Amino acid sequence: MSEFWLRKMRTFFKVHDFNKDGYITEEEFVGMTRSLADARNAAPDKKEKLVNAMAKLWRKLVKAGDPEINRMTPEVLIESMKQQLYDPDFIVVLNDIVRRMFELLNTNRDGHLSLEEHELWWHSMGITPEHCDVRVSFDAMDTDKDGELNFDEFVRAFFDFLFSQDETSPNKFFFGQLVD
């Protein structure tokens, strides 16, 4: 994998290491989703399905580490992602999560994410303006330039972030500025 892809995975790690202790735990990984669902006043059944999907993703990712420890370092996450990226079951889990996440973020239920909805998501993930300008990320994902993110644009940006090794991709800012 390229250094560029490794930087994206370290960025993914940094965003999900909510307490910044150098590890991602299941509590952080799934708990951030639970907190976001609570903040968005998600219906209990929608919250439960999203939390369960995140827990399933966690179980798939932790396979590369020691499941007894139940935490990941950046190195374990990167190794796990390398092993999982082209697994069809992993892709199914990711598709489920990104669909449910989009529905949760789309608070006004109009089928699009506004800049404000995107900004609220970043804020809930701890991504601040010091990390990256939310407008830069949003505009990069808004490929049809209508001022909103439709579901296809959101999904494309998410998967491009995880899979692409194209350094010119505007979706490299999906989770904020890349770490060094």
Side-chain angles (χ1 to χ4, degrees):
M1 296 292 187
S2 69
E3 179 58 32
F4 173 68
W5 184 82
L6 294 173
R7 286 181 63 207
K8 291 194 301 181
M9 294 306 101
R10 288 191 297 269
T11 302
F12 180 88
F13 181 91
K14 182 179 178 181
V15 167
H16 289 85
D17 178 15
F18 209 63
N19 66 5
K20 308 302 178 208
D21 66 352
Y23 298 97
I24 299 175
T25 64
E26 182 175 9
E27 181 180 324
E28 285 173 305
F29 195 73
V30 177
M32 281 181 19
T33 303
R34 188 176 290 112
S35 296
L36 177 61
D38 288 342
R40 296 295 173 108
N41 297 313
D45 62 319
K46 288 188 180 218
K47 174 183 170 181
E48 180 181 355
K49 288 177 182 175
L50 180 58
V51 166
N52 288 343
M54 287 298 284
K56 187 174 184 178
L57 177 60
W58 172 262
R59 288 189 300 276
K60 288 190 106 16
L61 289 173
V62 83
K63 282 174 36 176
D66 183 347
E68 297 301 316
I69 295 174
N70 205 25
R71 65 182 187 179
M72 284 189 282
T73 62
E75 296 77 22
V76 169
L77 174 71
I78 288 167
E79 188 56 38
S80 181
M81 290 296 281
K82 285 179 186 177
Q83 292 175 18
Q84 299 285 331
L85 275 178
Y86 303 103
D87 174 356
D89 292 333
F90 185 67
I91 305 303
V92 168
V93 171
L94 290 175
N95 270 314
D96 185 39
I97 289 170
V98 75
R99 179 180 54 79
R100 293 180 189 285
M101 187 62 70
F102 184 86
E103 290 172 0
L104 180 67
L105 297 173
N106 182 218
T107 55
N108 65 4
R109 311 286 186 254
D110 67 354
H112 297 87
L113 298 182
S114 66
L115 175 62
E116 293 76 24
E117 288 168 322
H118 182 68
E119 197 168 24
L120 285 170
W121 173 57
W122 267 26
H123 179 73
S124 72
M125 295 284 288
I127 304 170
T128 62
E130 300 87 57
H131 296 112
C132 186
D133 182 350
V134 69
R135 171 62 80 178
V136 170
S137 171
F138 186 85
D139 287 348
M141 290 189 288
D142 181 17
T143 56
D144 65 7
K145 304 302 179 202
D146 66 352
E148 300 177 309
L149 299 180
N150 63 45
F151 179 70
D152 291 337
E153 289 169 326
F154 188 76
V155 170
R156 192 175 319 113
F158 176 75
F159 278 97
D160 186 66
F161 180 88
L162 288 182
F163 289 90
S164 174
Q165 297 197 46
D166 177 6
E167 293 186 34
T168 64
S169 169
N171 297 316
K172 63 188 172 190
F173 299 121
F174 189 83
F175 286 108
Q177 184 69 39
L178 297 182
V179 298
D180 292 323

